[in-house]
Structures are given as structure tokens and as C-alpha cells.
Amino acid sequence: MPLHRLRPVRLLLAALVALAGTLLAAAPSPAADAPARGSAYMGIGVLAHDGQNGTPRDTRAAQTEGVDVSGHQGNVAWSTLWSSGVKWAYVKATEGTYYTNPYFAQQYNGSYNLGMIRGAYHFATPDTTGGATQADYFVDHGGGWSKDGRTLPGALDIEWNPYGDSCYGKTQSAMVTWIRDFLNRYKARTGRDAVIYTATSWWTECTGNYGGFATANPLWIARYASTVGTLPAGWGYYTMWQYTSSGPTVGDHDKFNGALDRVQALANG
């Protein structure tokens, strides 16, 4: 091809390369310090977003100590926790539709075998698959319920997205729909209303402080402080409170808002 015809072609190619570079530079990229998919756990975003301001006072009314654990704790020393007064536990079973906890059996059965009342939780990723799909995955991989007096209903861990946008790229109404789809499918599969674990600040930002789940779904509030503070709309009280990520043996410690017989009542449904 003559040189005078090649020149426009080269100019066009150079322009296309420059445009591609501009588009790539503008495209969002995962945060450099984002954790690996599957490694999220209950409360992963609390310290970064809400901070920590003390621990509960010892003079509070009767409450029952519990813990929540996931794969990053590995094999848990359940006998140590039992001896320290921990009477209930929640274990991460699943995340999205792509992860199951490799330590689930040791954690879920180990706590139960020592006499604890235990349940399973699901870390929600509303940006990957639908709510009903994730509920099915949860139930199919350890998140079910049985009326044996020592199995708590499954918990939906819905909080800040550790892998990207805090609200998983969803509008407030779309987030409410996603949560509703999860809760409806979980109840259809198990006969129980799932517990909702969340933080008031996240719930306000990402659901518009929706209050429609409060009549059926127990609230597990996350706040690392001396009091629980303001609860999400609709809930007049909390059922469980994750109050620290730096407690003894496993880090994440919780209070059940009542004596042991109330924990048993929730298990029995």
C-alpha cells in the first residue's frame, strides 16, 4: 500500500489505542486490599465503618453469652469457650453461591456436642446471585433447621460489601427486594423466619431504614460499644448483639437478650 494511504490508517489505530487506554483508566477496579472471595465473616465491616467505643456494662439484665465463628478461626476450642460461660454459637456455613466453610463440621458439631445451642449463618453477596438462590444454597449446605431444641434458625448476615461497593451496587428498594426474596425462600424451605444480622448504619444507607421485616425476623445487631444504640426501623428491641471482635478465644462475642431459656425458646420456634 502506498505510504500516503498508510498514514491515515496509522493515525486511526493510534487514536483507538489512546481511547482504549482512557476507558481502562476510567473503569472501576477492585480495591488493592480487598479480601479473597469467600473469606468474609460476620462483622467484617463494623470496625472500619462504625468503629469501637467500649464494651457492654457488667450490670446489664440477664443475658447469655455467645460467639460467632467462620473459616478464618479454623478448629475452635469449644471446651475453653464452654468453660468460660459461652452457651450458644453461630457458625458461617456459606457465602454467595460459591463458598462453603471447610471447618463447618468441626465448628457446628463441636459446639453442639459440648451442649451449646447452635445455628448457621450465610454471608450475603447480593451482587452475585438472587436472594432466593442464595437461600437455597444456604439450606442445602448446612443452613437448615431441625426442632431438636438446640438448633437456632439460620441467620442472614447482610452488611457492608468487603469486595466493593458497600451496598453491592443496588438501590435501596432493590436491596429490600433481595432480602425479602432470601427470607421468603428460607422460610418456605425450613418453616422458620431467619434472623437478620446487620448494623444500623448499613441498614439505613442500603435499605433506606426499611422497617418491614421487624414483625417476623429477629434482629441481631452489630455495634462495638457499651450500648447497642439506635436500632434499625421497626425493631423495638434486639434479640442478639455482637458487641466485640476482640473477645477471648475466638474474637467475635455476642449477647443474647435474655437468659438461657430464651435462647432455647428461639431454637424451639
Side-chain angles (χ1 to χ4, degrees), residues 24 70 92 117 147 174 210 229 233 248 262 266:
L24 286 172
S70 64
K92 180 181 178 181
I117 300 172
K147 192 175 175 63
Y210 179 76
R262 303 317 304 157
L266 181 60

Side-chain angles (χ1 to χ4, degrees), residues 91-94 100 104 108 118-121 136-145 151-152 154 186:
V91 176
K92 180 181 178 181
T94 51
T100 58
F104 183 76
Y108 192 69
R118 51 82 158 112
Y121 79 84
D136 280 331
Y137 188 79
F138 178 43
V139 173
D140 292 341
H141 296 86
W145 176 78
T151 300
L152 293 160
Y186 186 82

Side-chain angles (χ1 to χ4, degrees), residues 121-132:
Y121 79 84
H122 174 78
F123 191 94
T125 57
D127 57 337
T128 60
T129 45

Side-chain angles (χ1 to χ4, degrees), residues 114-175:
L114 272 176
M116 290 186 191
I117 300 172
R118 51 82 158 112
Y121 79 84
H122 174 78
F123 191 94
T125 57
D127 57 337
T128 60
T129 45
T133 300
Q134 291 195 26
D136 280 331
Y137 188 79
F138 178 43
V139 173
D140 292 341
H141 296 86
W145 176 78
S146 59
K147 192 175 175 63
D148 58 8
R150 286 171 51 203
T151 300
L152 293 160
L156 173 64
D157 178 357
I158 186 78
E159 57 174 298
W160 297 276
N161 178 11
Y163 311 115
D165 175 71
S166 289
C167 299
Y168 300 86
K170 291 194 173 296
T171 64
Q172 292 173 341
S173 61
M175 182 63 76

Side-chain angles (χ1 to χ4, degrees), residues 220-244:
W220 188 349
I221 192 69
R223 188 163 189 261
Y224 302 165
S226 58
T227 65
V228 296
T230 302
L231 299 178
W235 283 283
Y237 62 93
Y238 66 91
T239 297
M240 289 168 279
W241 169 19
Q242 187 191 54
Y243 67 88
T244 186

